[in-house]
Amino acid sequence: MFLKGNRRYLLSILAIIIFIISGCTEKKTSVEKMYDILEGVVAKEKAFEEQQDPLVNLEIEEKELYDQIIDLGIKEYDQIVKLSDEAILLTEKRKNHMEKETESLNESEKEFKKATKIKDEFEDPELTKTANELYDIMMQRYQAHEWLYKEYSDALKYDKELYEMFKNKNLPLENLEAQVNKLNGQYKQVSDANEKFNMLTEQYNDKKLSFYKKAGLKSSK
């Protein structure tokens, strides 16, 4: 009798455990899944955000070196070489930050693409519509950053070429002017790409808040 009673006791405990586990592993709703993905994207882009201030500071520092080089005469050639080498190192640091920024966006895109199927699973048609608009904007944003990365990478390459030219005593002035003009045109491309990326980022954030509001969710950011 003791063994049977003990067995019933164990079976009861097992039933309770199974009940608790089944409750804990209850399937998430589509809204909850979407929320996890969108908040996951925020986490993935933390490294992206961390690159912004260092990148801007390096650009400012490099501009200061450029201005110093321009102000120096040919008699101060050794100083020009020194400053040019310092500027080249800064372009390499800028590239490193840009690579980290892009890597973060790539991770963000992988996370965000998990929403491809979920965005069409909502019972509320308005929620589905907002989710699809959110998805389209974000995918355009990733494409805009690819464009920005390409243009910025080209600008860095032209920057290094310019500083190497500064180190050449016999470089014709017209060659230097042509390189500066090429750089100015390239940074116009960078500015346009950056403007589009920022615009789409703002649109995404607005649409995300709209989705959260309709879904009754709170954003961590």
Side-chain angles (χ1 to χ4, degrees):
M1 291 293 293
F2 174 76
L3 290 174
K4 288 183 179 179
N6 192 46
R7 186 178 179 185
R8 287 198 191 96
Y9 175 76
L10 290 174
L11 288 173
S12 298
I13 292 295
L14 182 60
I16 292 171
I17 292 173
I18 291 172
F19 176 77
I20 292 173
I21 292 175
S22 64
C24 293
T25 57
E26 186 179 345
K27 286 186 177 180
K28 290 186 176 182
T29 65
S30 297
V31 169
E32 290 171 332
K33 291 177 184 176
M34 191 70 170
Y35 176 82
D36 288 345
I37 291 168
L38 297 182
E39 292 304 306
V41 166
V42 172
K44 296 293 184 184
E45 292 199 12
K46 184 178 180 182
F48 164 80
E49 294 181 358
E50 290 172 347
Q51 309 311 310
Q52 303 308 299
D53 287 345
L55 198 50
V56 170
N57 290 336
L58 286 170
E59 288 171 354
I60 293 172
E61 190 177 346
E62 186 182 324
K63 176 65 167 57
E64 290 173 352
L65 289 176
Y66 173 83
D67 290 340
Q68 289 179 48
I69 292 170
I70 295 299
D71 289 340
L72 292 173
I74 192 64
K75 292 181 179 180
E76 298 177 272
Y77 174 74
D78 290 343
Q79 182 65 8
I80 288 175
V81 171
K82 178 179 177 294
L83 293 175
S84 295
D85 286 338
E86 289 178 13
I88 288 172
L89 287 176
L90 291 181
T91 64
E92 292 172 355
K93 288 181 180 180
R94 286 166 59 199
K95 182 175 178 58
N96 183 50
H97 283 289
M98 191 63 182
E99 293 291 346
K100 288 180 180 178
E101 177 180 299
T102 302
E103 183 180 339
S104 176
L105 263 293
N106 289 340
E107 290 299 315
S108 166
E109 185 174 2
K110 287 179 185 177
E111 180 69 18
F112 188 76
K113 281 184 175 179
K114 294 178 183 178
T116 304
K117 294 182 180 179
I118 298 171
K119 64 186 175 63
D120 294 315
E121 293 179 356
F122 307 112
E123 294 180 3
D124 183 350
E126 279 299 313
L127 206 54
T128 298
K129 179 175 179 292
T130 303
N132 275 286
E133 290 171 349
L134 179 70
Y135 188 86
D136 290 343
I137 291 170
M138 190 57 145
M139 296 311 295
Q140 291 177 50
R141 177 176 176 265
Y142 291 130
Q143 291 175 1
H145 191 269
E146 287 181 14
W147 176 34
L148 175 59
Y149 173 77
K150 178 188 177 300
E151 299 300 340
Y152 197 84
S153 296
D154 286 346
L156 288 173
K157 182 177 71 175
Y158 299 155
D159 272 330
K160 291 180 75 173
E161 289 176 358
L162 177 65
Y163 294 123
E164 290 295 346
M165 286 180 173
F166 281 138
K167 293 157 66 175
N168 183 356
K169 275 185 177 182
N170 302 315
L171 183 73
L173 182 59
E174 56 266 28
N175 289 18
L176 195 60
E177 290 176 345
Q179 184 69 14
V180 170
N181 289 335
K182 183 166 74 170
L183 256 175
N184 288 337
Q186 186 59 38
Y187 274 108
K188 174 63 170 60
Q189 290 290 97
V190 171
S191 178
D192 290 345
N194 192 57
E195 184 177 345
K196 183 173 183 179
F197 176 76
N198 289 338
M199 178 191 70
L200 289 166
T201 298
E202 186 175 345
Q203 289 179 8
Y204 169 78
N205 288 333
D206 290 343
K207 190 64 67 174
K208 177 184 168 184
L209 288 175
S210 177
F211 175 82
Y212 276 21
K213 186 176 180 180
K214 289 179 181 179
L217 298 170
K218 289 185 178 180
S219 176
S220 65
K221 184 178 178 181

